[in-house]
Amino acid sequence: MIPYKSPLEAFLHWEKTTPDKAFLKQPINGKTTVYTFKEAGIEARKLAAAINKYNFPIQSHIGLLSKNCVHWIISDLAIMMSGHVSIPIYPSLTAEAIHQILEHSESKAIIIGKLDNFESQKSGIPNIPKISVGLYGENEGELYEDLLLKNEPLEDVYMPESDNLHTIIYTSGTTGAPKGVMHTVGNFVESLNVINSGLKLKEGSRFFSYLPLAHVAERVGIESYGILLGAEISFPESLESFPGDLEACQPELFFAVPRIWAKFQEKILEKMPQNKLNTLLSIPLLNRLIKNKLKQKLGLKHAQIIISGAAPLSVSLMKWFKKLDIEILQGYGMTEDCIISHINLPEANKIGTVGKKLDGVTIKLSTEGEILIKNKCLMTGYYKEPLITEEVFENGFFKTGDIGEYDHEGYLTITGRIKDQFKTDKGKYISPTPIELQLSSNADIQQICVVGTGIPQPIALITLSELGKEKSKEAISTALIKSITALNKTLEKHEKIEKVVIMKEDWTVDNGLATPTLKVKRNAIEKIHQPYYKSWFEQIDTVIFE
């Protein structure tokens, strides 16, 4: 059991016992600024003192809108120290979505940090107190830097109880409007207990934080777990500097989503085509050298734990990385269960599954194969949504909406989502996820959405990877037909892919077709493209360019 009753108590321990140890590392204009535990503590305490001057009732809600940076974590600590509840907001959201969350959460104030395009977002912030970090060019409301000058560090910080509300995390929402998932301080502590006992990383480990901190996995698994271990947490400065920043950090824990792994593979193959890579790896004297060089360049040379989550990762991609001695551990968790569900571990990693259930987790499968989960850190409910909360619980078990099956060794495989299933006009139900995973082994493909409502056979909508975009239409068509032919041999008759449609533009967060964690928004894609399914299906060509 961890010796702390809250993430804040863990931070206070390191602030007191290792004040001069590096805690946060922020690159700014190419130069890295290092914050020790003492320095981060002073800033957080000054900000907490400034928040207290607003005289909000204890456990008020405070929004936090920023990309990952030192000020995100310092602000989160200040919100804890002043006795309030954080409302993290994805930094890529539109003004309308930001307004919806701030209004629904009844946020009393908002802290505005590092953003790419705040000008387009600011209209979404209602008339509440605003604190902006001037370092990043924002000046709404009071300046963070001015508050640090005006306030003395708060000495008597608020120490939360286990059942106090810690945060409301609004789901990124692949379907429908986001819902506010309520987690207590005790939930985070329980989650950290399970993570710590499974991963067994040493105190002071190096972490790299780049996936949105508004997402539960980064919030618990990187920020909170990092605070628990007294870790050194580094951030990237920008998308352009990301590879160099990651290489400089060389984290011991690295977490990514499937799109990141596909991008890593793509960048390697751009510089070293597969045939050349195969040849070099086949030469004993060069094998180890090449692997070490690639791991160094990726920033994974010292990574002890490498996790993929948020969406399924293809078996072919995991095996490809394993040939480079990069072992990816696929896990499965949700905002609602505080990411405590299933994971593969170094000593028990079965590729193609999401691992075995974690300690303290109880699972039931419904008659439809839906995964129902119970653990000690399930959400207390959706904020202000008692009816929806009631709908997703069954005798204390949370209904995940995912369909899965166990093998005889207890490893779980996710086979789809109940809401993603569709029916062709032959009346046959199809679960698209396993088909999409198999098709994703084609390196020319970046994103896939298998659809088929109202047509005889499913079709695959895809976007091309950078490698794919460099090829001619003829070369792309030939490669895709080869992939489809091989795939169809493994599928039931009603599942066989009839056509592949290549989209004109990528599915991104900006155009509303991907979530902030880069998952495809199936509903949004279907809404746009369903009117064309029939005409695409009736075309002669197997591969269609939109």
Side-chain angles (χ1 to χ4, degrees), residues 4 51 53 75 146 153 171-172 203 219 251 261 286 392 424:
Y4 312 112
I51 292 171
K53 288 182 179 177
S75 297
D146 290 346
T171 58
S172 57
E203 291 180 354
R219 182 79 179 286
W261 296 115
L286 289 177
V392 299
T424 64

Side-chain angles (χ1 to χ4, degrees), residues 141 144 219 227 274 422 442 497 532:
Y144 175 98
R219 182 79 179 286
I227 290 172
Q274 190 67 58
F422 59 85
N442 185 318
I497 300 293
Y532 306 104

Side-chain angles (χ1 to χ4, degrees), residues 120-135:
S120 69
Q121 298 171 311
K122 64 168 63 177
S123 64
I125 299 177
N127 187 25
I128 56 176
K130 306 171 187 70
I131 298 172
S132 299
V133 182
L135 176 66

Side-chain angles (χ1 to χ4, degrees), residues 444-445 447 460-465 468-469 472-473 475-478 480 499-507 529 536 542-546:
D444 295 331
I445 297 173
Q447 298 157 298
L461 312 183
I462 71 165
T463 67
L464 294 176
S465 66
K469 288 173 183 175
S472 67
K473 286 188 176 183
I476 286 291
S477 295
T478 300
L480 289 173
K499 308 284 181 184
V500 180
V501 185
I502 299 172
M503 302 286 103
K504 284 180 183 175
E505 61 178 6
D506 293 343
W507 300 325
H529 296 109
W536 284 333
T542 301
V543 178
I544 300 157
F545 290 82
E546 189 190 19

Side-chain angles (χ1 to χ4, degrees), residues 215-248:
H215 188 272
V216 66
E218 191 81 359
R219 182 79 179 286
V220 177
I222 297 296
E223 183 204 21
S224 300
Y225 188 37
I227 290 172
L228 171 72
L229 294 179
E232 179 183 291
I233 304 175
S234 295
F235 304 90
E237 180 171 3
S238 65
L239 189 60
E240 291 72 29
S241 71
F242 176 90
D245 293 333
L246 177 55
E247 184 181 359

Side-chain angles (χ1 to χ4, degrees), residues 331-343:
Y332 167 62
M334 306 182 78
T335 310
E336 288 87 348
D337 61 31
C338 213
I339 67 169
I340 299 304
S341 179
H342 294 69
I343 196 168

